[in-house]
Structures are given as C-alpha cells and as structure tokens.
Amino acid sequence: MNTLKKYAGVILVLLGVLCLVVYFFKPVSNILLAASLVLEIAGIFAFIFLNRSK
C-alpha cells in the first residue's frame, strides 16, 4: 500500500495527460480540459507532499 501511495501523484498526472489525449482526438466539450487541469494540479501537489522527506 505504501508503494501505491508513493506513486499516487504520478498516476494522477498520467490520468490528466490521458484526458488531454482524448480531447485532442475527439474534442467533445471543455469538461475534459477542466478535468485534466484538476488532475494535473492534484497530481503535482500529491507528488510533492507524499514524497517529501520527513
């Protein structure tokens, strides 16, 4: 479980990139862009806060 927590930020960033790729090939609405923005920012902050040394 600790390894999953360690990579949670990277997984969120990759999900944001996946949303951007889907939007690039089939632009349906701006909801995908907003979702990718939220996932990217959450992933960056999760990566920073979960991986800082104590």
Side-chain angles (χ1 to χ4, degrees), residues 17-51:
V17 170
L18 182 66
C19 287
L20 287 174
V21 168
V22 169
Y23 181 80
F24 178 75
F25 288 113
K26 188 170 181 168
V28 179
S29 67
N30 289 337
I31 294 173
L32 281 174
L33 290 175
S36 67
L37 176 69
V38 169
L39 286 170
E40 296 272 336
I41 291 173
I44 290 170
F45 282 123
F47 182 78
I48 291 171
F49 289 124
L50 292 175
N51 290 317

